[in-house]
Amino acid sequence: MAIPVIDFSKLNGDERAKTLAEIANACEEWGFFQLVNNGIAEELLERVKKVSSEFYKVEREENFKNSKVVNLLNESGDEKLENVDWEDVITLTDDNVSEWSYQTSGFQETMKEFRDELKILAEKIMEVMDENLGLPKGYMEKAFNGEGGENNAFFGSKLCHYPPCPNPEKVTGLRAHTDAGGVILLFQDDEVGGLQVLKDGEWIDVQPLKNTIVINTGDQIEVLSNGRYKSSWHRVLSTIDGNRLSIASFYNPSLKATIAPAPQLVKETNEEMDKTYPKFVFGDYMSVYVQQKFLPKEPRFQAVRAV
């Protein structure tokens, strides 16, 4: 098995209906798919790889060598590390631009341009989801923005590197989890693998494909779709060689947004709807998620029901 690879450019041609169906099937059966011809210029993607690699070598590599996880692995003996991840990560948001790298030439400008393009792509994908689910155009985006229709949805990125690990059997790159938010857009390494998705009880590799964007649906899309689209478990394995690049960007609801299944997708009574997914404020869900990220998602829905 392999996760679906979809040509996003065909939405604008004679194969639109087929492409819509492919995306719908990927969201329903996998919760993951790869987009080729995604509208982001290859020249920009190549620049992103270049500045990200330089940023790690110049500003992060030495710190990682002296990090907690490296020290724990060196002291672990034969024991497997359970509650740490073999990754170096920084977060990029519109609110912390002043903290982005100044030492790596072109980093700020390139990452800003890249994030702008990803946000546009995320909104296009949400419109496709609206159409496939039979929802009004802009339904998901409006739900994410919350009351008042202001542009309050959150868009953040995590720039991660998974350096070579001398004992990959003893520590995971990133432990298995589902993503809390909405639409996740991942730009992953061209050559170094490690990302896996859980499908029908089996871990499936997400094969590196040059300059594709991997899309996955988070917990909030599962709720809004009333379970039609699933938020899938995934993880990153550490590897003995290769420094894996991973840039994950998250289009999430505003912390004040109220999330619930779209009424159009609920045929049962309100009582039945309440049994499936609760109605909640996204900020309350995140408060639970940060404590339970690596645990099953269903108890998170039950916990937030009681808030």
Side-chain angles (χ1 to χ4, degrees):
M1 289 193 294
I3 76 164
V5 179
I6 299 171
D7 186 340
F8 201 56
S9 67
K10 291 185 177 180
L11 273 179
N12 300 318
D14 295 337
E15 297 184 52
R16 177 176 175 80
K18 177 184 176 183
T19 306
L20 285 170
E22 289 176 348
I23 294 174
N25 180 261
C27 291
E28 292 173 8
E29 298 296 325
W30 286 86
F32 265 80
F33 54 97
Q34 300 209 55
L35 283 185
V36 298
N37 297 322
N38 45 60
I40 302 178
E42 294 215 0
E43 180 273 333
L44 173 57
L45 296 175
E46 292 297 329
R47 271 195 286 132
V48 169
K49 287 183 281 190
K50 180 176 182 293
V51 298
S52 297
S53 176
E54 291 175 357
F55 168 73
Y56 179 77
K57 289 178 182 177
V58 173
E59 303 185 45
R60 306 292 297 184
E61 188 169 27
E62 285 304 313
N63 287 338
F64 183 79
K65 290 178 180 178
N66 297 306
S67 65
K68 176 182 176 181
V69 66
V70 171
N71 291 332
L72 286 172
L73 186 64
N74 290 337
E75 299 166 359
S76 64
D78 295 330
E79 295 181 11
K80 184 175 181 179
L81 302 183
E82 298 291 347
N83 297 312
V84 292
D85 302 301
W86 188 266
E87 69 170 350
D88 178 80
V89 57
I90 67 163
T91 301
L92 309 176
T93 72
D94 292 340
D95 295 330
N96 74 350
V97 174
S98 62
E99 301 171 15
W100 296 10
S101 167
Y102 287 98
Q103 297 180 47
T104 303
S105 177
F107 182 88
Q108 285 195 347
E109 298 82 359
T110 299
M111 297 308 291
K112 182 182 184 307
E113 184 180 350
F114 182 47
R115 279 172 37 80
D116 288 345
E117 291 293 321
L118 286 172
K119 189 173 183 180
I120 292 169
L121 179 58
E123 290 170 348
K124 289 179 180 177
I125 291 167
M126 290 169 70
E127 287 186 359
V128 169
M129 291 179 179
D130 288 336
E131 184 173 350
N132 276 334
L133 291 168
L135 299 174
K137 184 178 180 179
Y139 182 93
M140 287 192 180
E141 185 176 352
K142 183 178 179 181
F144 278 25
N145 282 323
E147 291 295 328
E150 299 176 7
N151 189 22
N152 293 322
F154 173 81
F155 189 72
S157 303
K158 288 186 176 181
L159 171 56
C160 305
H161 284 88
Y162 299 92
C165 179
N167 301 105
E169 73 284 354
K170 292 170 61 175
V171 60
T172 307
L174 179 60
R175 288 162 284 167
H177 63 286
T178 66
D179 289 323
V183 175
I184 297 87
L185 306 94
L186 174 70
F187 184 44
Q188 68 165 349
D189 202 283
D190 287 346
E191 299 177 358
V192 183
L195 176 63
Q196 295 184 323
V197 178
L198 189 63
K199 167 71 169 168
D200 299 329
E202 182 180 353
W203 287 104
I204 308 298
D205 292 331
V206 180
Q207 296 291 354
L209 293 176
K210 186 174 182 179
N211 292 342
T212 61
I213 301 294
V214 180
I215 307 297
N216 72 283
T217 48
D219 296 348
Q220 307 314 302
I221 298 294
E222 179 170 331
V223 174
L224 283 167
S225 70
N226 199 32
R228 284 263 301 271
Y229 295 170
K230 295 296 185 184
S231 175
S232 296
W233 284 84
H234 52 285
R235 68 184 183 184
V236 178
L237 301 181
S238 54
T239 58
I240 199 164
D241 49 26
N243 185 14
R244 173 183 164 81
L245 168 67
S246 171
I247 306 175
S249 296
F250 304 83
Y251 196 110
N252 289 354
S254 159
L255 290 176
K256 296 180 180 179
T258 298
I259 302 297
Q264 298 91 328
L265 303 179
V266 180
K267 297 179 181 179
E268 299 83 5
T269 64
N270 287 335
E271 181 181 353
E272 288 296 317
M273 180 178 74
D274 189 56
K275 290 180 181 177
T276 310
Y277 296 101
K279 180 179 181 179
F280 54 85
V281 175
F282 180 60
D284 292 337
Y285 187 83
M286 284 303 298
S287 296
V288 176
Y289 180 84
V290 295
Q291 302 294 327
Q292 302 182 14
K293 176 177 179 177
F294 301 107
L295 300 175
K297 62 189 170 187
E298 292 77 13
R300 297 200 290 264
F301 294 134
Q302 296 305 316
V304 82
R305 184 194 304 273
V307 174

